């Protein structure tokens, strides 16, 4: 059965304070995020083996995010 109803969606207009603007200055360096990701792997020898995967996954995600931010700057 075909419906002939039309939904009227109204959007509020964007105001100047709602528009995202770039932060002045150079883009943030991913170095701190990379260092933090690598620090999560410190002491891995003292962590039970089943927890290693979660640590490596978290480091991988953090490194991927940090390294992909380089191209956006």
């Amino acid at each position: 059965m075909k419906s002939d109803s039309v939904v009227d969606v109204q959007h509020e207009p964007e105001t100047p304070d709602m528009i995202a603007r770039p932060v002045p200055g150079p883009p943030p360096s991913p170095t701190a995020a990379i260092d933090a990701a690598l620090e999560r792997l410190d002491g891995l020898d003292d962590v039970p083996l089943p927890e290693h995967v979660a640590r490596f996954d978290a480091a991988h995600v953090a490194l991927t995010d940090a390294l992909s931010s380089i191209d956006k700057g």
Side-chain angles (χ1 to χ4, degrees), residues 8-61:
D8 184 20
V9 178
Q10 295 180 357
H11 297 282
E12 293 182 24
E14 289 184 350
T15 59
D17 59 325
M18 294 172 65
I19 299 171
R21 292 182 177 81
V23 177
S29 170
T31 305
I34 293 170
D35 290 342
L38 295 177
E39 285 176 10
R40 291 180 191 145
L41 300 178
D42 287 346
L44 203 56
D45 292 338
D46 301 324
V47 176
L49 189 58
E51 294 179 25
H52 286 202
V53 173
R55 292 260 188 124
F56 283 119
D57 284 343
H60 181 263
V61 168

